[in-house]
């Protein structure tokens, strides 16, 4: 069978020395999905906060179930954004995204804050490539007019 290898811009990112995420940070579809998911993430966060506040004070089993549900829903949303080849549970070594990091922020917030500059740099790289292509086309058009 013949093989076709193309540069899709996919890069690999090792998370905390363990799992790997693979995506093209300059993919405009990925960038759009990532930033369009912000309202969904905020809604899930509000929902978690409301449900947690409504739990009976000593019901740790329901609390743990709620956190597991939140974790699964957030990871499913992230899989929808970054593609099924990215296993966020494996990449984060099983850490629940509702957990709190040493900095006092939820793990999901730390993850999103780590991914944001990567995607912003990718978007900038894509825009620069478009600008370079437009400049090259303008230069070629000027050169063609000069030879005519």
């Amino acid at each position: 069978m013949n093989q076709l290898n193309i540069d899709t811009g996919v890069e690999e990112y090792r998370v905390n020395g363990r799992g790997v995420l693979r995506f093209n940070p300059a993919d405009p579809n990925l960038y759009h999905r990532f930033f369009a998911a912000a309202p969904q993430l905020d809604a899930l966060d509000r929902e978690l906060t409301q449900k947690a506040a409504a739990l009976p004070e000593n019901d740790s089993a329901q609390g743990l179930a709620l956190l597991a549900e939140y974790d699964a829903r957030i990871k499913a949303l992230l899989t929808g954004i970054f593609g099924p080849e990215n296993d966020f549970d494996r990449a984060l070594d099983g850490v629940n995204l509702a957990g709190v990091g040493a900095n006092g922020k939820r793990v999901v917030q730390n993850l999103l804050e780590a991914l944001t500059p990567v995607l912003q740099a990718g978007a900038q790289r894509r825009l620069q490539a478009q600008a370079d292509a437009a400049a090259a086309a303008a230069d070629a058009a000027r050169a063609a007019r000069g030879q005519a």
Side-chain angles (χ1 to χ4, degrees):
M1 172 182 289
N2 293 327
Q3 187 136 327
L4 181 62
N5 295 313
I6 60 171
D7 179 1
T8 60
V10 172
E11 297 177 9
E12 292 186 351
Y13 295 87
R14 184 159 304 282
V15 179
N16 294 341
R18 296 182 184 262
V20 175
L21 296 177
R22 291 176 182 84
F23 58 91
N24 177 351
D27 180 347
N29 291 334
L30 174 64
Y31 188 83
H32 174 74
R33 287 191 308 268
F34 182 77
F35 289 102
Q40 291 173 283
L41 291 167
D42 290 342
L44 286 170
D45 194 54
R46 281 191 309 277
E47 181 183 335
L48 171 66
T49 302
Q50 290 171 350
K51 285 182 175 180
L55 288 176
E57 204 169 300
N58 293 325
D59 194 345
S60 58
Q62 272 192 330
L64 290 173
L66 179 62
L67 294 174
E69 176 194 344
Y70 174 84
D71 180 58
R73 289 172 67 187
I74 295 292
K75 286 177 180 168
L77 181 60
L78 291 170
T79 297
I81 295 168
F82 289 91
E85 66 278 5
N86 288 297
D87 183 339
F88 282 85
D89 196 55
R90 181 181 293 146
L92 296 166
D93 203 29
V95 171
N96 187 307
L97 291 174
V100 177
N103 62 0
K105 297 178 183 178
R106 284 196 184 145
V107 174
V108 67
Q109 185 177 356
N110 290 330
L111 174 64
L112 297 176
E113 287 177 2
L115 288 168
T116 297
V118 171
L119 294 177
Q120 287 174 332
Q124 185 61 41
R125 199 167 58 230
R126 181 183 58 81
L127 291 173
Q128 187 60 52
Q130 285 179 314
D132 292 347
D139 289 346
R142 279 193 292 278
R145 282 193 307 267
Q147 292 181 1

